[in-house]
Amino acid sequence: MVKIAPSILSADFSRLGEEIRAVEKAGADWIHLDIMDGHFVPNITFGAPVVKSIRKTSGLYFDAHLMVHNPDAFFEDFVRAGVDGITIHQEASLHLDRSIQAIKALGVKAGVSLNPATPVQTIEHLLPQLDLVLVMSVNPGFGGQHFIEYTRDKIKALKAIKAAKGFTFIIEVDGGVVPENAAILRESGAEVLVAGSAIYHKDDYKAAIDALRSRP
Ligand code: DX5
Ligand code: ZN
């Protein structure tokens, strides 16, 4: 069964704790944390102090998506703040293998994210070590963008490699996920659907999550 990971990027930041409790009550599986530094992406969001304080509001899996340059500098802070997994960008890490080992050594799940134009082949040799691969289906930096169709080919490729080699990484997709494309994404191999605006910009979070999870 697919997991739904609301991105709090589209939540009302003045009521962040309530917004997290609300999606948990509405059936969310994970909470997706979009960490942006204004350098790797043209936007700034929030850092470890905010994560530490919202950690108290929910027991759900905290899925940290680091859209930052030099991500290694922040691993310890985010783990101390209580995240369950850290995903870094292939494009932001000079020594990806070292970075993944560093995340794992801190006792949390380790993932790599690929920008839309970055081929799956760039992480081919790392796949056996990864807990998660995050396929970006928009150019990272902002919520509410349109899904880039060709990224679905990468989801399918990852699903095929995973099945052929018996790897265990989870396939997650992030950006422009809406009820209208959720079914095809699930069929293509996505196991976690991240959604910001398709949940937080709706009045009924439960209906929004249910639609992503099971609308045919
Ligand atoms: C984009 C972020 C996404 C984004 C998704 O840089 O990584 O998680 O918040 O937002 P929607 O679902 O609105 O495209
Ligand atoms: Zn994200």
Side-chain angles (χ1 to χ4, degrees):
M1 173 99 125
V2 74
K3 286 185 164 60
I4 306 298
S7 164
I8 59 170
L9 182 61
S10 301
D12 177 351
F13 276 33
S14 73
R15 302 184 298 109
L16 211 41
E18 267 173 65
E19 289 275 70
I20 290 169
R21 280 190 285 262
V23 290
E24 177 164 10
K25 194 162 165 249
D29 299 287
W30 288 7
I31 299 295
H32 186 78
L33 307 169
D34 284 310
I35 314 295
M36 305 186 186
D37 68 349
H39 290 276
F40 179 68
V41 289
N43 199 4
I44 298 176
T45 54
F46 52 86
V50 170
V51 174
K52 186 180 174 195
S53 83
I54 58 177
R55 182 68 279 186
K56 297 173 217 144
T57 66
S58 170
L60 290 184
Y61 185 97
F62 271 18
D63 176 35
H65 176 195
L66 268 51
M67 287 161 277
V68 305
H69 274 311
N70 189 24
D72 303 46
F74 303 99
F75 295 160
E76 271 190 52
D77 286 353
F78 281 107
V79 170
R80 243 186 265 126
V83 304
D84 298 288
I86 293 179
T87 297
I88 58 175
H89 267 265
Q90 186 274 356
E91 307 83 4
S93 180
L94 212 45
H95 305 288
L96 203 50
D97 181 278
R98 176 185 290 153
S99 300
I100 290 302
Q101 289 181 46
I103 295 171
K104 292 189 150 190
L106 291 168
V108 298
K109 303 286 185 194
V112 171
S113 180
L114 301 173
N115 277 338
T118 304
V120 168
Q121 286 72 17
T122 58
I123 55 167
E124 182 187 342
H125 301 287
L126 213 51
L127 289 175
Q129 298 182 49
L130 295 181
D131 297 306
L132 181 143
V133 178
L134 173 55
V135 176
M136 284 307 300
S137 41
V138 298
N139 290 295
F142 305 95
Q145 303 181 78
H146 284 294
F147 186 88
I148 298 172
E149 280 300 327
Y150 69 73
T151 61
R152 208 153 52 75
D153 293 341
K154 298 202 291 181
I155 298 172
K156 288 194 241 169
L158 284 163
K159 180 185 182 180
I161 296 169
K162 186 176 166 173
K165 305 257 174 115
F167 294 154
T168 55
F169 60 82
I170 291 170
I171 304 171
E172 182 177 32
V173 59
D174 184 8
V177 176
V178 290
E180 291 72 20
N181 60 23
I184 186 96
L185 290 171
R186 296 190 307 256
E187 283 157 28
S188 301
E191 296 159 298
V192 180
L193 303 180
V194 175
S197 45
I199 295 172
Y200 277 114
H201 291 175
K202 301 288 178 202
D203 293 330
D204 185 341
Y205 295 169
K206 183 169 186 323
I209 289 171
D210 289 348
L212 292 166
R213 200 192 296 285
S214 51
R215 186 184 291 179

